[in-house]
Amino acid sequence: MKYLRQLRESRKSNMPNFKRIVVDDFVIYQGKNAESNDYITMEVADEEDLWFHAKGVPGSHVIIRVKDKLPPKDIIEKAAIIAAKNCKSQENKIKIVYCKKKFVTKKSGMNPGQVLVDYKNANEIIVNKT
């Protein structure tokens, strides 16, 4: 318990590097590294927010903040493109997985930025990186 409290306090004083983007009244968060991916996914995102990541390759976690309404298809595509542009794949067509944040978990001992996704409750979209 003491360790978790110290970790939270150090996170407050050492805010992770992430990007906040506003598109048509929707707030989108993009992680910039493993620590900020963890932060936006596990600390910032609510259970009903949408989480995005390039499938099978390292890259940014992207969150769409869902408040009163679900984002339309064009906002989902924009978030998927952000995730694609910020992944390490050399391919142009990128498969992006997305789901509600409640289907993304992190177990003790996992590396920063590493999560488990319940693929039964996830969707996939293919977008161009460029």
Side-chain angles (χ1 to χ4, degrees):
M1 209 56 161
K2 182 179 178 183
Y3 170 75
L4 290 175
R5 193 172 311 121
Q6 289 172 339
L7 182 61
R8 282 189 204 113
E9 288 172 7
S10 69
R11 281 185 177 169
K12 287 179 187 174
S13 64
N14 203 2
M15 193 64 130
N17 182 19
F18 63 92
K19 190 171 185 179
R20 182 180 182 272
I21 306 160
V22 178
V23 180
D24 297 338
D25 294 329
F26 286 93
V27 176
I28 299 173
Y29 294 99
Q30 173 203 336
K32 302 289 240 163
N33 56 36
E35 290 78 19
S36 63
N37 283 343
D38 270 358
Y39 180 74
I40 66 168
T41 300
M42 308 315 292
E43 302 289 333
V44 173
D46 292 331
E47 294 293 301
E48 297 298 312
D49 291 345
L50 295 180
W51 175 91
F52 295 74
H53 192 276
K55 187 171 186 180
V57 294
S60 291
H61 293 200
V62 175
I63 302 290
I64 298 177
R65 175 71 77 184
V66 176
K67 290 279 185 190
D68 301 328
K69 57 184 177 177
L70 289 173
K73 185 178 179 182
D74 66 314
I75 300 296
I76 289 172
E77 287 177 359
K78 286 177 183 176
I81 290 168
I82 292 168
K85 286 184 176 183
N86 292 284
C87 77
K88 299 212 179 191
S89 175
Q90 299 302 312
E91 302 295 320
N92 186 44
K93 289 192 182 287
I94 308 294
K95 187 179 289 187
I96 303 297
V97 174
Y98 70 98
C99 62
K100 290 183 178 182
K101 188 272 174 193
K102 67 182 174 184
F103 300 118
V104 179
T105 57
K106 184 171 189 78
K107 291 191 176 185
S108 178
M110 293 179 91
N111 292 331
Q114 188 177 22
V115 294
L116 295 172
V117 178
D118 179 356
Y119 286 102
K120 293 179 288 183
N121 291 295
N123 299 297
E124 294 182 356
I125 183 172
I126 297 174
V127 295
N128 289 327
K129 191 172 184 175
T130 56

